[in-house]
Amino acid sequence: VLLNLTKCDIHKLDEAPATEVVMTRDEGLQYYRTMQTMRRMELKADQLYKQKIIRGFCHLYDGQEACAVGIEAAINLTDHLITAYRAHGYTLTRGGTVREIMAELTGRRGGIAKGKGGSMHMYSKNFYGGNGIVGAQVPLGAGVALACKYFGNNELCVSLYGDGAANQGQIFETYNMAALWKLPAIFICENNRYGMGTSVERAAASTDYYKRGDFIPGLRVDGMDILCVREATRFAAEHCRSGKGPILMELQTYRYHGHSMSDPGVSYRTREEIQEVRGKSDPISLLKDRMLSNNMASVEELKEIDVSVRKEIEDAAQFATTDPEPPLEDLCNHIFYNDPPLEVRGTNPWTKLKSVS
């Protein structure tokens, strides 16, 4: 079906992403399932956190699903992606299973990082993880993009950061190098309107994040519409692959939860504001309405997907609460990628542990 999209704002570009796009029924159903899985997974994580089964840092992605699913719909799994610590959604789109993600959240052996990374540090092939230091993933992503260029394999790297990280000096240093070296890098600011508890207006003298690459072209995109995100990413990927160097995207999105689980999320914004976003621009509802109104799916079909997603999440939660924790002898493994086993000093001078790659 041919669908119309809102136009992107552009910076230093002669053309913009398409506003008339085609979405097939299968694509629609797949996007719906993935976004719904992400949403349910995060709600389950919220529940397990409140039961003290998940501990420590935990930053949930619900509300921002169209960003992750839209980006992945326009790049290849052989391309590279690195993000900040709100990483559960990308771990899923990059090939992690719900089971592995949930088990990682509870620190179990079956977790995607063997239970050692937790919420903020998940990895898979060509996915360089959630990164805990604000903005640190952006220069790392430029390094990955440099590798893509060096190997000449027509791959690119997507580096994601939030509106809070957008004021970090290292991000501007990275823009500079990426532009000088014409790196195949897509820098994406997921602007969810709040950096921790600070609104964008109070944090940034210019909230036009898509223009802040200055000499780097930029796009500002409706981050709640999966098709807008997909088309903008497709446009950005072509820009990179044709050797034009880096490009910047700002996805205007919203997070329903607080910054992390320790932030109730209502001291710096009103409950009404959250309800209004949920009511008017929820990414899953928008896709659902679009599919129903274009006769691309029936209410029953979507219900079936909801039921099977719920079951998948329940099974994963069951696994994540019963799978054993990693044994002590695994504590020091994989310190180095491929070194022979080495001795590591334990918690006191008399205990020695072995590290195996």
Side-chain angles (χ1 to χ4, degrees):
V1 176
L2 193 64
L3 301 162
N4 289 319
L5 308 178
T6 18
K7 203 173 170 317
C8 296
D9 297 319
I10 57 176
H11 168 66
K12 282 202 169 9
L13 285 165
D14 301 325
E15 45 183 354
T19 51
E20 277 202 331
V21 303
V22 173
M23 177 174 74
T24 66
R25 175 182 138 82
D26 286 350
E27 283 172 342
L29 290 171
Q30 188 199 335
Y31 301 157
Y32 181 79
R33 175 179 284 272
T34 311
M35 289 205 287
Q36 202 57 292
T37 305
M38 234 174 250
R39 173 73 51 92
R40 294 264 147 232
M41 180 172 80
E42 296 301 59
L43 294 176
K44 185 46 109 179
D46 171 88
Q47 211 180 335
L48 294 175
Y49 199 96
K50 286 170 179 160
Q51 295 168 355
K52 293 193 166 57
I53 294 167
I54 295 173
R55 293 167 176 268
F57 293 103
C58 186
H59 305 80
L60 301 182
Y61 198 70
D62 50 325
Q64 301 183 204
E65 295 89 353
C67 299
V69 184
I71 290 165
E72 291 287 8
I75 61 170
N76 311 317
L77 278 173
T78 47
D79 289 318
H80 307 263
L81 191 140
I82 186 166
T83 187
Y85 40 78
R86 201 177 300 282
H88 310 161
Y90 290 99
T91 312
L92 184 69
T93 58
R94 287 270 104 187
T97 64
V98 180
R99 233 174 127 99
E100 289 172 322
I101 297 168
M102 298 297 292
E104 191 55 49
L105 287 171
T106 56
R108 308 303 169 107
R109 216 161 46 182
I112 197 158
K114 298 187 180 356
K116 296 183 194 177
S119 168
M120 301 202 289
H121 306 290
M122 301 187 183
Y123 310 90
S124 64
K125 192 164 170 51
N126 301 333
F127 173 52
Y128 306 87
N131 290 265
I133 307 281
V134 175
Q137 68 280 10
V138 182
L140 295 178
V144 175
L146 177 60
C148 293
K149 183 165 181 164
Y150 181 83
F151 290 123
N153 49 19
N154 206 25
E155 290 167 7
L156 54 82
C157 182
V158 174
S159 306
L160 294 124
Y161 54 96
D163 50 279
N167 303 312
Q168 281 272 334
Q170 54 189 339
I171 288 183
F172 295 90
E173 293 174 38
T174 305
Y175 290 164
N176 187 52
M177 290 170 99
L180 281 172
W181 298 344
K182 282 204 157 56
L183 299 182
I186 306 178
F187 298 117
I188 301 184
C189 175
E190 288 184 287
N191 175 5
N192 61 22
R193 310 224 308 246
Y194 296 95
M196 295 191 77
T198 309
S199 70
V200 288
E201 293 78 20
R202 288 176 56 217
S206 161
T207 57
D208 288 341
Y209 296 105
Y210 72 113
K211 290 181 178 172
R212 289 175 62 176
D214 187 10
F215 35 79
I216 297 177
L219 297 163
R220 181 162 59 193
V221 185
D222 176 357
M224 298 305 254
D225 181 340
I226 181 167
L227 292 178
C228 284
V229 178
R230 184 187 78 177
E231 290 314 306
T233 309
R234 193 168 277 169
F235 178 91
E238 275 168 24
H239 177 97
C240 284
R241 293 195 217 275
S242 63
K244 291 180 190 160
I247 187 165
L248 225 150
M249 280 166 59
E250 174 190 346
L251 305 180
Q252 294 189 305
T253 182
Y254 198 78
R255 59 170 160 78
Y256 294 159
H257 267 87
H259 168 72
S260 72
M261 283 302 295
S262 55
D263 162 25
V266 287
S267 56
Y268 48 87
R269 57 180 183 179
T270 61
R271 286 181 200 278
E272 290 72 49
E273 177 182 303
I274 305 169
Q275 286 320 94
E276 189 185 2
V277 177
R278 274 183 189 276
K280 287 191 182 152
S281 49
D282 181 78
I284 298 176
S285 307
L286 285 178
L287 178 66
K288 185 178 182 173
D289 296 345
R290 194 177 256 160
M291 290 182 73
L292 293 174
S293 59
N294 287 288
N295 297 322
M296 294 173 81
S298 66
V299 177
E300 294 73 46
E301 270 179 301
L302 298 178
K303 271 260 163 51
E304 264 170 48
I305 293 179
D306 296 348
V307 170
S308 81
V309 164
R310 235 173 230 181
K311 185 178 178 339
E312 187 186 358
I313 304 296
E314 283 311 320
D315 292 349
Q318 181 58 33
F319 174 70
T321 48
T322 52
D323 192 46
E325 292 184 356
L328 186 63
E329 52 271 20
D330 282 5
L331 181 66
C332 299
N333 289 353
H334 309 104
I335 292 176
F336 296 108
Y337 164 56
N338 53 5
D339 277 15
L342 67 148
E343 292 218 312
V344 182
R345 187 164 65 80
T347 49
N348 65 51
W350 299 278
T351 56
K352 286 276 199 294
L353 291 161
K354 267 259 192 299
S355 171
V356 186
S357 296

